[in-house]
Amino acid sequence: MNKVYKGDFGHIFYQRKNAVIRTTIMGCIILVLFIAGLIIAGSNKNIFSIVAALGCLPMGWSVINLIMYYRAVPLTQSSYDKIKDHAGSLYVIYDLSLTSEKSTFNVGAITVLGKNIAGFTEDENTDIQDCQDHIKHQISLSKYHDYSIKIYRNVDDFCKRLDELEKLRKDHNIDPKELESLWTPGTIQTVPGILKSISL
């Protein structure tokens, strides 16, 4: 199974599979250790049981991780195909699940060009205004201000916005992918970098 990095289409499905495999393996190891301890020692008071009990901690984390990825709403293939046709040379990030204290915002695709942020969600439960406010707050922590942020529910409307931004990119000869690749670790993150870092 080829690795799908955060921000790439299919990341949520990839992480779901990883979480299932990891949790299943951990569960089997814990069960085997516990049963082996019972057979060898004749009771649950043995080193195998202790190791099995300690193994429940990382397995618990893995189960929580699994639940979170299954609650996330990934971008559908049909929407991805449409968006890809309109993205041009824009830097588009896919399958983000942005978490706040009160809610989770599932953003299927989002792009940043200059001080323009445009995103698309297929999650009917996502509060658009809260999502936009959350993004605005998160990027402001790194001193990014006065950004125009718009999250769309209709994929065709989002694609129209991508067309506008692609024209703007061409007119100003901007290469957002190259700008992102030039970021140096240890310096202030780019806005796309922040969006990926605050996502599940």
Side-chain angles (χ1 to χ4, degrees):
M1 184 168 55
N2 294 328
K3 185 170 184 177
V4 181
Y5 294 93
K6 185 185 289 189
D8 292 341
F9 175 67
H11 175 71
I12 290 175
F13 282 120
Y14 173 79
Q15 290 296 346
R16 283 179 182 177
K17 291 177 183 178
N18 275 354
V20 168
I21 294 169
R22 182 177 60 244
T23 303
T24 301
I25 290 173
M26 286 182 176
C28 290
I29 291 172
I30 289 169
L31 187 61
V32 167
L33 284 172
F34 183 73
I35 292 174
L38 286 177
I39 293 172
I40 294 170
S43 74
N44 61 359
K45 297 179 181 180
N46 56 74
I47 188 66
F48 292 100
S49 296
I50 293 172
V51 173
L54 291 174
C56 289
L57 296 175
M59 191 183 81
W61 168 84
S62 187
V63 169
I64 292 171
N65 199 248
L66 173 63
I67 293 170
M68 291 179 71
Y69 275 112
Y70 267 92
R71 290 184 63 185
V73 179
L75 184 69
T76 60
Q77 183 69 50
S78 59
S79 291
Y80 170 72
D81 292 338
K82 277 188 177 182
I83 292 167
K84 190 177 178 183
D85 287 341
H86 292 264
S89 294
L90 295 170
Y91 181 54
V92 183
I93 308 167
Y94 298 97
D95 283 347
L96 296 185
S97 185
L98 311 173
T99 55
S100 70
E101 292 181 2
K102 298 180 180 179
S103 186
T104 298
F105 308 106
N106 294 293
V107 181
I110 196 165
T111 191
V112 181
L113 184 72
K115 287 202 168 188
N116 300 287
I117 299 176
F120 168 65
T121 180
E122 291 180 300
D123 183 5
E124 296 178 357
N125 295 319
T126 291
D127 186 305
I128 296 296
Q129 188 59 55
D130 283 351
C131 181
Q132 292 172 169
D133 290 343
H134 178 63
I135 292 172
K136 181 179 181 180
H137 172 69
Q138 290 299 318
I139 65 173
S140 72
L141 297 176
S142 295
K143 310 301 181 186
Y144 291 108
H145 301 287
D146 303 320
Y147 273 68
S148 169
I149 305 169
K150 176 66 177 176
I151 304 298
Y152 297 86
R153 287 196 188 278
N154 184 289
V155 68
D156 293 324
D157 290 340
F158 177 59
C159 287
K160 287 178 184 177
R161 183 56 176 153
L162 289 178
D163 291 338
E164 294 171 355
L165 292 175
E166 173 62 3
K167 183 179 183 304
L168 184 66
R169 185 200 67 76
K170 287 180 179 178
D171 290 345
H172 290 81
N173 195 28
I174 303 170
D175 188 343
K177 294 178 182 178
E178 182 181 5
L179 291 174
E180 193 64 25
S181 69
L182 292 174
W183 175 72
T184 304
T187 61
I188 296 176
Q189 280 186 306
T190 61
V191 173
I194 292 171
L195 294 174
K196 285 195 285 187
S197 69
I198 63 174
S199 176
L200 181 64

